[in-house]
Amino acid sequence: MTRISPEFGGVMEVEAILPVSADVNFAAKCFPKYRIGPDNQIYDDVALKATGPSLKEVVEHESEQLYAQNQRLSVRDMASKFDKNVAAAAKLADEAKLKEVPSLEGHVLLKKVRDALESLKGRLSGRNKEDVQKAISMVEALAVQLTQREGELIQEKFEVKKLTNFLKQASEDAKRLVNQEKSFACAEIESARAVVQRFWEALAEEERNSQKSGKQDTKKLLEEVQEGRRIRMMHQPTKVMDMEHELRELRIQIREKSIFSVKLQKELAISKRAEEKRFNLFEIEGSETLGSQLQIRPCSDNAPELSESTIQWYRVSVDGSKREPISGANRLIYAPEPLDVGKMLQAEVNSNGRKVTVTTDAQIEQASGLDSYVETLQRKSNADFNVVVSQINGQDHQSNSGHVLHIGKMRMKLSKGWITRARESYSSSMQLCGARGGGNAASKALFWQARKGHSFVLTFESERERNAAIILARKYALDSNVILAGPDDRL
């Protein structure tokens, strides 16, 4: 087939061209205008300039709108919408049928044009014959394009038919839903009417009953008013004030009686302990407060000699159910440490196989102001205490030179100037508790085992610093998952 050239020119000899057959029927007054594009594709300028959407685009647009509005439309609106779309689809189908006739006429027209050009080609020669051949090629290309458009039209027709069936089915479903909802609404309306009817009947019955009992209610109301007046006369303001004064006096008397009762109970407990002490051989002297010293003293002439007796101190629960020996506390004097707070202390004196037990009168209490002092120390990054080393590894240390005990969040250190005697991190081998060897400075001394085989007894400047150092070190050690306690202490 001859290649189609974009430039179609040249003057044909009018005398050599025969007229076209009279049976050719053109659909328009002029021949359509075509444009040759890339790859020799023929485009219809009229079709390209058309601004209206195609049938397929209209159907897709309507379908998207229906799907988007499906959630918010009511059943009745949706049914109406489906009916409109069914009518629109039917109209589009009719238009597609009408297009089939022009399409058929186009094929007939192109065939007649091609036959006329073929007959004309046989009568011409030279350049005119080539021009006719180009015209025949253009007609054949138009026939191919018309065939493609017919295929697209058939596909659109199939989609329109499919959408029409879908819309018809959806319209039937919507109508069925409308009828169903209508029946439900009618049933609910009837039920509401019945409820309203019963309500009005009940109101009418209540009104009739109220008219009958109106006189009786008025009589009862008068009686209640008279009773209220009588109560009001009885409860005059002066009488109410007198009653309030009496109640106030009674409260004061009850408070005084309760205070006097508590005082009697304390005196009774003191007398009871004094009565018990009359038969005791020993007693514990000292305040049951952290920072003090407790000492065993004989209170009877029949008491055995303490210098010839063995002594052991115990921690005892308040209810007396648990008793724990304090390792190393075997002297006449014992200074309570923070671990003893909230517990009773008990001393057992053993002389020639005879055991005598003596217990404190109350549980050990926390020293006042110690908690706030420990909180103040915790705000600092490190805490330093001035101490004197009394013992090293169980041996007395005669030097009275001052040292500094450094308690940090990760470790403890004992130093003197630039000399470091011990520096250890918190570990399971470390021990820390109050000094249990007795002596006049027991309440100011603590025992520190930095590691196995390396221990110290340190004396602080005051009882408060000693107890604060113990509490602070135990808190920092607990943050490192280490529990600091004395030898053989069970926690």
Side-chain angles (χ1 to χ4, degrees):
M1 185 177 291
T2 306
R3 176 178 176 85
I4 300 174
S5 175
E7 295 181 357
F8 188 83
V11 180
M12 297 177 62
E13 295 181 2
V14 181
E15 293 78 11
I17 299 176
L18 297 177
V20 182
S21 177
D23 58 352
V24 177
N25 184 18
F26 290 95
K29 293 183 180 179
C30 61
F31 197 83
K33 294 182 180 180
Y34 295 94
R35 182 172 59 86
I36 299 176
D39 297 333
N40 297 326
Q41 295 291 329
I42 300 175
Y43 297 95
D44 189 352
D45 290 344
V46 178
L48 291 174
K49 294 180 181 179
T51 57
S54 63
L55 177 64
K56 186 177 180 180
E57 293 177 354
V58 172
V59 173
E60 290 180 354
H61 182 66
E62 291 293 332
S63 300
E64 291 178 358
Q65 286 186 348
L66 285 176
Y67 181 77
Q69 294 178 359
N70 186 25
Q71 300 298 328
R72 63 176 182 269
L73 290 178
S74 64
V75 178
R76 189 182 302 276
D77 294 338
M78 192 162 57
S80 176
K81 188 71 175 178
F82 279 137
D83 291 338
K84 291 180 180 179
N85 282 281
V86 169
K91 184 177 180 181
L92 291 175
D94 295 338
E95 291 179 357
K97 290 180 180 180
L98 293 175
K99 288 183 180 181
E100 292 180 359
V101 177
S103 176
L104 183 59
E105 292 180 355
H107 277 285
V108 175
L109 176 61
L110 290 176
K111 186 176 183 303
K112 290 181 179 181
V113 172
R114 188 178 183 280
D115 293 342
L117 292 175
E118 286 290 343
S119 63
L120 184 61
K121 178 182 177 182
R123 301 176 185 180
L124 298 177
S125 62
R127 186 173 180 181
N128 293 332
K129 187 175 182 179
E130 292 179 359
D131 294 338
V132 172
Q133 182 63 35
K134 291 180 180 180
I136 292 172
S137 300
M138 292 177 62
V139 170
E140 291 177 352
L142 288 174
V144 172
Q145 188 176 7
L146 183 60
T147 304
Q148 293 177 353
R149 289 188 178 180
E150 285 180 352
E152 294 177 358
L153 183 61
I154 292 172
Q155 182 66 23
E156 291 178 358
K157 180 180 178 182
F158 174 75
E159 293 179 358
V160 169
K161 185 177 180 181
K162 185 178 178 181
L163 179 60
T164 303
N165 295 332
F166 171 74
L167 292 175
K168 286 182 179 179
Q169 182 65 30
S171 179
E172 293 177 359
D173 295 340
K175 289 179 180 179
R176 185 172 64 254
L177 289 175
V178 168
N179 294 331
Q180 185 177 0
E181 292 294 332
K182 184 177 180 180
S183 61
F184 289 161
C186 291
E188 292 179 358
I189 291 172
E190 292 297 330
S191 177
R193 286 177 179 175
V195 171
V196 171
Q197 184 65 26
R198 289 196 300 270
F199 179 74
W200 282 112
E201 292 177 357
L203 284 179
E205 183 68 21
E206 183 68 21
E207 186 177 358
R208 289 193 295 269
N209 294 333
S210 62
Q211 291 178 357
K212 293 180 180 179
S213 60
K215 296 180 180 180
Q216 297 178 359
D217 294 340
T218 303
K219 186 177 180 180
K220 290 182 180 180
L221 182 60
L222 291 174
E223 292 177 356
E224 291 177 359
V225 170
Q226 292 177 359
E227 182 67 18
R229 289 177 178 176
R230 186 181 64 82
I231 294 173
R232 181 180 178 184
M233 292 298 294
M234 291 177 60
H235 295 82
Q236 292 181 358
T238 54
K239 293 183 178 180
V240 173
M241 292 177 64
D242 292 341
M243 292 177 66
E244 289 179 355
H245 289 305
E246 291 179 2
L247 289 174
R248 190 179 297 109
E249 293 294 333
L250 288 175
R251 291 193 188 98
I252 294 173
Q253 292 179 9
I254 291 173
R255 189 182 301 110
E256 293 176 353
K257 294 293 183 183
S258 61
I259 295 173
F260 183 70
S261 175
V262 172
K263 185 177 180 180
L264 287 178
Q265 289 178 1
K266 289 183 179 179
E267 292 179 356
L268 181 62
I270 293 173
S271 63
K272 185 177 181 180
R273 287 196 298 268
E275 187 68 21
E276 291 176 354
K277 287 182 179 180
R278 288 174 56 187
F279 301 99
N280 289 341
L281 300 177
F282 301 98
E283 64 178 0
I284 296 178
E285 186 182 49
S287 175
E288 291 89 356
T289 307
L290 191 63
S292 64
Q293 291 189 151
L294 301 179
Q295 185 174 1
I296 303 174
R297 292 185 180 275
C299 59
S300 175
D301 296 336
N302 298 327
E305 188 66 28
L306 290 175
S307 60
E308 300 176 357
S309 304
T310 58
I311 300 172
Q312 178 61 52
W313 289 85
Y314 294 89
R315 294 189 188 96
V316 184
S317 59
V318 179
D319 56 0
S321 59
K322 294 182 180 180
R323 191 175 79 156
E324 174 191 351
I326 303 174
S327 178
N330 49 17
R331 301 291 181 89
L332 296 177
I333 297 175
Y334 176 74
E337 64 155 290
L339 196 61
D340 300 325
V341 175
K343 298 179 181 178
M344 309 279 285
L345 291 179
Q346 188 180 84
E348 186 177 83
V349 182
N350 190 351
S351 177
N352 296 325
R354 182 183 178 185
K355 294 183 179 181
V356 179
T357 303
V358 58
T359 310
T360 55
D361 296 334
Q363 61 185 4
I364 304 300
E365 297 179 355
Q366 183 73 283
S368 61
L370 183 60
D371 292 335
S372 59
Y373 180 57
V374 172
E375 290 178 0
T376 303
L377 295 176
Q378 276 187 298
R379 295 191 189 100
K380 302 178 182 179
S381 58
N382 300 306
D384 296 331
F385 300 93
N386 296 323
V387 297
V388 175
V389 180
S390 301
Q391 291 183 4
I392 299 178
N393 297 330
Q395 302 296 325
D396 292 339
H397 188 65
Q398 300 299 329
S399 176
N400 293 326
S401 60
H403 290 68
V404 176
L405 178 63
H406 170 83
I407 299 178
K409 295 183 178 181
M410 302 300 296
R411 63 185 179 181
M412 294 178 61
K413 181 176 71 172
L414 179 64
S415 61
K416 179 183 178 182
W418 296 98
I419 301 174
T420 300
R421 290 188 175 273
R423 180 173 58 189
E424 297 292 333
S425 301
Y426 299 110
S427 62
S428 58
S429 62
M430 184 180 292
Q431 294 180 358
L432 184 71
C433 62
R436 300 170 180 176
N440 295 329
S443 60
K444 300 180 181 180
L446 65 77
F447 170 79
W448 178 39
Q449 177 181 294
R451 59 180 183 273
K452 291 184 178 180
H454 195 42
S455 61
F456 303 91
V457 175
L458 308 177
T459 303
F460 288 74
E461 294 180 351
S462 64
E463 293 85 357
R464 186 178 74 162
E465 289 188 356
R466 173 254 203 178
N467 294 322
I470 295 175
I471 296 174
L472 191 63
R474 286 175 177 172
K475 285 186 176 182
Y476 288 155
L478 191 60
D479 293 339
S480 301
N481 297 325
V482 177
I483 298 178
L484 288 184
D488 301 328
D489 284 343
R490 296 190 296 271
L491 299 178

